[in-house]
Amino acid sequence: TLLIGVDQGRNPAAVMGQHHAGGLLNILGELTGSNMGMETFATTILRPYLSNHFAGVSALVALDPAGFAKSQVNDESPADVLKRAGFKVIPAPTNDIQRRIQAVEKFLLAHQGLQIDPSCTGLIKGLVGQYRFRARRDGEMEDKPEKKHPISDLQDCLQYLCLIAGGANLGRLTRTNQDRPKQRRFSSAAWT
């Protein structure tokens, strides 16, 4: 299964990767859009890229949890747009910046934990120093990294991807119906 971390907004972005049984998270590609909505991004950038590079591969999108909020204009969310475009979409488990960064660090610190394709130049630039916490006047660091398109957008995508790749529920989320084990039924008396 191809895992795709997606960050919505007027500058949407996506990071694609695959998690292997040995623990390796292989980052295969990155995409960014500028001054466009999720529908334009999904139909003119994301879907064509996946068709050209990953035809026939099932995909799971981990979206910024805020992407499930309905628009005030048309009662549609970015998640709805992605689902309509044919993607299986789940919310990233959290939007807490510390937990997101820890999810990436888990792979960065593991032996053979993270491998990034050299074509992911924006993601690499962010990891080597352009994604950072700005210092305040008092010398303390800001609570959140600075927002700098497209670097911060790609880092957000990587964080969402790492959250689901490192989660215990990944196998459950990526299995097809044929792969799912049969559920055992217990009587209600079993729990009393």
Side-chain angles (χ1 to χ4, degrees):
T1 300
L2 184 69
L3 304 176
I4 308 171
V6 174
D7 188 37
Q8 76 278 346
R10 289 303 299 172
N11 298 310
V15 170
M16 286 66 64
Q18 288 184 311
H19 190 234
H20 300 278
L24 172 68
L25 180 57
N26 194 10
I27 303 300
L28 305 169
E30 67 178 35
L31 299 170
T32 60
S34 183
N35 195 28
M36 66 177 62
M38 184 54 70
E39 187 151 9
T40 302
F41 180 73
T43 58
T44 65
I45 296 177
L46 182 58
R47 176 60 64 200
Y49 177 86
L50 295 177
S51 294
N52 290 333
H53 293 87
F54 302 102
V57 177
S58 64
L60 176 66
V61 172
L63 182 64
D64 175 350
F68 283 79
K70 302 285 185 188
S71 165
Q72 295 176 359
V73 175
N74 62 5
D75 284 337
E76 193 170 50
S77 69
D80 294 331
V81 170
L82 288 166
K83 288 176 186 177
R84 193 174 64 243
F87 293 100
K88 180 177 181 181
V89 183
I90 61 167
T94 184
N95 207 2
D96 178 74
I97 190 66
Q98 295 305 320
R99 288 187 48 206
R100 289 169 29 201
I101 290 172
Q102 287 171 353
V104 175
E105 287 176 344
K106 174 184 167 188
F107 285 102
L108 286 172
L109 297 174
H111 176 67
Q112 296 183 352
L114 187 66
Q115 181 174 305
I116 302 174
D117 189 279
S119 69
C120 300
T121 56
L123 196 58
I124 293 168
K125 285 178 186 176
L127 289 170
V128 297
Q130 289 189 21
Y131 182 68
R132 59 182 175 245
F133 293 84
R134 176 173 264 152
R136 296 184 195 137
R137 289 184 180 162
D138 65 3
E140 294 293 318
M141 301 304 275
E142 292 283 344
D143 294 336
K144 296 180 180 179
E146 61 184 324
K147 284 289 189 186
K148 190 170 152 186
H149 173 70
I151 300 297
S152 61
D153 304 322
L154 290 168
Q155 295 301 316
D156 289 348
C157 294
L158 177 64
Q159 293 162 9
Y160 300 138
L161 195 155
C162 287
L163 280 167
I164 63 164
N169 292 329
L170 180 63
R172 179 182 58 82
L173 294 169
T174 59
R175 256 185 271 171
T176 63
N177 286 334
Q178 296 84 11
D179 296 335
R180 289 197 174 115
K182 297 205 186 286
Q183 291 183 331
R184 294 179 60 193
R185 303 264 186 228
F186 295 98
S187 74
S188 61
W191 302 106
T192 57

